[in-house]
Amino acid sequence: MDTLLASSFGCFGPVAIILLIYFFACLKVVNEYERLVVFTLGKVEDKPKGPGLCFVWRPFQTAITVSLRTTVLEVPSQDVITRDNVSLKVSAVVYSRVLDPKQAIIGVENYYYATSQIAQTTLRSILGEVSLDELLADREKLSARLREIIDRSTEPWGVEVSSVELKSVDLPEQIQRAMGKQAEAEREKRAKVIAAEGELLASEQLLEAANKISQNPTAIQMRYLQTLTEIAVEKNSTIVFPLPMELMKAFEKFTKS
């Protein structure tokens, strides 16, 4: 009897070890930011599993892990021709995350690659509809429009695009030189306008001062003396003696007569 029991335990020992190894092989730990999409005999389950410890019956079940974290997708530089026929290179960054793990797996072959391709084609088509000035001045509006269009395309895949940012705009050297000349011309224009406004204010002040001085004949003589004092302080070798304007007018009348 003892020999029969020993032989029975000897047979079940390897089987128990195999079952134990199979049990641990079917266990899978799912992190908090992940979900497990399980297929049973080719049919997907309604709800993804996780987070925590999940059991997958192999080989009857297969599991695909999907991350729910926001991913940063860098769109490489795209050759864009704007509405005003300016060729440039534009790169962008797309922030997206998976909302429906089940649809992200069965709705598209590779949701990450598909989102990248949609972002590239949308970037070229949208920026081709605007001019260079609009691209440089309204980058926030263009980013919002790009996000809306890309998110509408990825929504059937269970992927949400939270933000799109234009990373860099590489302009040709000819355009850069033209923009530099334009900026310089604008600065010169503002400088001339400011100088003209200063001349206008100065002429108004001089007119007001002349009107006040003309009310008293001795005021202009005091102004002459003050000017002489300023010239003497500067230690100039030339001394200017002002003549009254009435004397000049009288001399002019004398020469005409």
Side-chain angles (χ1 to χ4, degrees):
M1 185 67 180
D2 293 337
T3 305
L4 181 61
L5 291 175
S7 61
S8 300
F9 281 112
C11 294
F12 283 109
V15 176
I17 293 175
I18 293 174
L19 291 176
L20 186 62
I21 294 175
Y22 172 77
F23 177 80
F24 282 107
C26 293
L27 291 178
K28 189 172 182 62
V29 177
V30 181
N31 295 322
E32 183 69 30
Y33 55 85
E34 295 176 338
R35 294 297 182 270
L36 205 65
V37 180
V38 180
F39 292 85
T40 304
L41 297 177
K43 294 182 179 180
V44 65
E45 295 187 357
D46 294 335
K47 294 183 179 180
K49 293 184 178 181
L53 188 63
C54 300
F55 193 84
V56 180
W57 295 95
R58 305 176 187 274
F60 306 102
Q61 289 183 334
T62 57
I64 301 176
T65 304
V66 179
S67 177
L68 302 182
R69 293 180 293 183
T70 299
T71 57
V72 181
L73 176 63
E74 185 173 356
V75 181
S77 297
Q78 301 295 312
D79 294 327
V80 178
I81 300 178
T82 60
R83 189 176 59 188
D84 48 356
N85 297 324
V86 177
S87 300
L88 45 85
K89 291 181 177 294
V90 182
S91 60
V93 178
V94 178
Y95 298 88
S96 63
R97 65 189 184 97
V98 177
L99 295 181
D100 189 352
K102 173 184 173 182
Q103 196 62 27
I105 296 300
I106 66 176
V108 65
E109 181 179 359
N110 188 335
Y111 67 89
Y112 188 84
Y113 177 75
T115 303
S116 174
Q117 295 302 308
I118 285 290
Q120 294 180 31
T121 55
T122 304
L123 182 66
R124 288 194 297 267
S125 61
I126 295 302
L127 297 185
E129 299 175 359
V130 300
S131 62
L132 178 59
D133 293 337
E134 293 174 351
L135 174 60
L136 298 177
D138 300 332
R139 298 181 67 170
E140 294 183 359
K141 294 182 180 179
L142 291 174
S143 298
R145 186 180 176 188
L146 288 170
R147 188 208 68 80
E148 181 181 357
I149 295 175
I150 298 173
D151 183 62
R152 192 185 307 124
S153 301
T154 59
E155 184 178 0
W157 308 333
V159 178
E160 180 190 36
V161 177
S162 58
S163 177
V164 177
E165 298 294 337
L166 296 178
K167 187 176 181 180
S168 63
V169 179
D170 297 332
L171 298 175
E173 295 183 0
Q174 297 84 354
I175 300 298
Q176 294 180 8
R177 288 196 294 267
M179 294 177 64
K181 292 180 181 179
Q182 181 181 2
E184 184 178 358
E186 289 290 338
R187 288 193 294 268
E188 291 180 357
K189 174 184 174 182
R190 289 195 297 268
K192 290 181 180 179
V193 170
I194 293 173
E197 291 178 352
E199 293 291 338
L200 178 61
L201 293 176
S203 63
E204 292 176 355
Q205 295 293 330
L206 289 174
L207 179 61
E208 183 179 356
N211 292 332
K212 290 184 178 180
I213 291 176
S214 63
Q215 296 177 3
N216 192 348
T218 59
I220 191 171
Q221 299 296 332
M222 299 296 295
R223 183 59 182 168
Y224 286 158
L225 293 176
Q226 184 179 0
T227 304
L228 285 175
T229 303
E230 294 175 358
I231 294 175
V233 171
E234 295 179 359
K235 298 180 180 181
N236 293 328
S237 59
T238 303
I239 300 178
V240 179
F241 291 96
L243 296 176
M245 298 301 297
E246 291 79 2
L247 180 60
M248 298 298 295
K249 291 180 179 179
F251 181 74
E252 182 179 0
K253 292 180 180 179
F254 176 77
T255 53
K256 287 181 179 181
S257 61

